[in-house]
Every structure is written in structure tokens, then in C-alpha cells.
Amino acid sequence: MKSRFEIGMETRRNVLGDAYVNQAKAQTSDFDHPFQELITEGAWGTVWSNDIIPQRERSILTLAILAATGNFEEIPLHIRATANTGATKSDVMQAFMHVAIYAGVPKANHAIKIARETYAEMKETE
């Protein structure tokens, strides 16, 4: 039986891609190793690995929550992940429109700006 960490690492790689995860692992130090274990086991091994909500919907939820809480620095990572989760640009826009109504237009506006820039970068690297 696989450990929660192993399950989390598989899910993390499936969603974020090997390149991102390899880079994160390479940058992990003794100081932040416990944090990396926590997010791999908790976020990826428990929440993202649960199949009750499909990864497409988790991706949309994550982007909406990041925008609503003002955690904009994580948005590019999760926009890139939509290529692996199946969330479309239209899905993302709907999520940010929801943010505008329930959390504020400025937060949604900033998230949309970041998403637009990230999609442009993704197109350049295709």
C-alpha cells in the first residue's frame, strides 16, 4: 500500500507537472523539508487525491479561493496546472466572476490580469 506522501507526490506531479515538482524538490532545504512533506501529504495526498471532486473542479475551486483570499502569487502555478486538470479558460473566467461578486471586483480583476499574462506565457512556450 502506498503512503499518503507517495500518493500525494503522484497527484502533485499529475497536476503541476514533473518539471515544477522536480524544481521544488531541488530547492527544498532541511529548513523547509517538513513543510514540503505537509503539503505533499495534506494538500496533494489527502485533498487533491480524493476523487469525490474531480481535478477539473478542484482546479477551479483552488483558483477562486486563491483570488478571493488575495493569494495571487499562487495563481500562475494553478493556471498552468489547468493544462493537466482540464479546467478551461472559460471555467477560470467563471470562477473569477464568482470571486468578483462574493469577494470583490478588485481581487477578481487582479486575478484575471495574472491569468491573462500566464496564458500568454503558456502560449509562447507551446
Side-chain angles (χ1 to χ4, degrees):
M1 182 192 280
K2 292 182 184 178
S3 70
R4 182 72 52 201
F5 183 85
E6 291 169 322
I7 293 166
M9 190 56 74
E10 285 179 12
T11 301
R12 192 175 183 187
R13 287 184 180 283
N14 288 337
V15 172
L16 301 178
D18 287 329
Y20 176 83
V21 175
N22 290 343
Q23 181 181 4
K25 282 181 68 175
Q27 293 175 346
T28 299
S29 68
D30 289 340
F31 174 72
D32 63 351
H33 179 71
F35 178 75
Q36 289 297 319
E37 281 187 352
L38 173 72
I39 62 173
T40 300
E41 291 174 356
W44 299 105
T46 300
V47 175
W48 276 87
S49 294
N50 182 312
D51 62 359
I52 293 172
I53 299 174
Q55 287 187 351
R56 174 184 166 269
E57 284 77 9
R58 284 194 195 281
S59 197
I60 296 164
L61 283 167
T62 300
L63 285 162
I65 292 167
L66 289 171
T69 57
N71 290 301
F72 301 112
E73 66 280 351
E74 293 281 318
I75 288 176
L77 171 65
H78 284 280
I79 290 291
R80 287 183 181 91
T82 63
N84 299 324
T85 65
T88 65
K89 288 181 182 180
S90 179
D91 294 331
V92 171
M93 179 54 71
Q94 289 299 311
F96 292 155
M97 288 171 53
H98 221 73
V99 168
I101 298 302
Y102 290 98
V105 170
K107 286 181 179 176
N109 190 43
H110 191 61
I112 291 166
K113 176 184 177 252
I114 293 168
R116 197 173 47 239
E117 291 168 353
T118 306
Y119 283 128
E121 290 169 8
M122 290 169 66
K123 189 172 179 90
E124 288 174 10
T125 60
E126 287 179 346

